[in-house]
């Protein structure tokens, strides 16, 4: 079954690594302000997931594979 995604779904899928990195940075910043080690660690885990996701997306799309 080939299910088509709409424009919004495509855009969210494309921007999800950026959303994860910014959300994780926000969590870590909130953890620093509140003095909560749990929020800082959770924020860093979300940032790491966003970076990993962006590496996977870059490898799948591979815009630099010109040669």
């Amino acid at each position: 079954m080939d299910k088509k995604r709409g424009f919004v779904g495509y855009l969210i899928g494309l921007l999800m690594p950026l959303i994860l990195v910014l959300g994780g940075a926000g969590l870590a910043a909130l953890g620093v302000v509140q003095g909560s080690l749990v929020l800082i660690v959770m924020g860093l885990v979300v940032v790491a997931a966003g970076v990993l996701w962006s590496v996977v997306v870059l490898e799948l799309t591979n815009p630099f594979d010109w040669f």
Side-chain angles (χ1 to χ4, degrees):
M1 284 197 235
D2 189 21
K3 189 174 182 182
K4 293 266 188 188
R5 287 191 298 185
F7 178 71
V8 175
Y10 177 76
L11 193 61
I12 288 174
L14 190 63
L15 294 177
M16 187 55 73
L18 183 65
I19 294 168
L20 284 174
V21 168
L22 293 177
L27 273 176
L30 182 65
V32 168
V33 169
Q34 297 293 325
S36 173
L37 183 62
V38 174
L39 281 177
I40 294 171
V41 171
M42 282 176 46
L44 293 177
V45 167
V46 172
V47 166
V51 169
L52 181 65
W53 192 331
S54 66
V55 167
V56 168
V57 167
L58 184 65
E59 278 296 315
L60 290 177
T61 57
N62 205 359
F64 303 111
D65 192 20
W66 294 333
F67 303 107

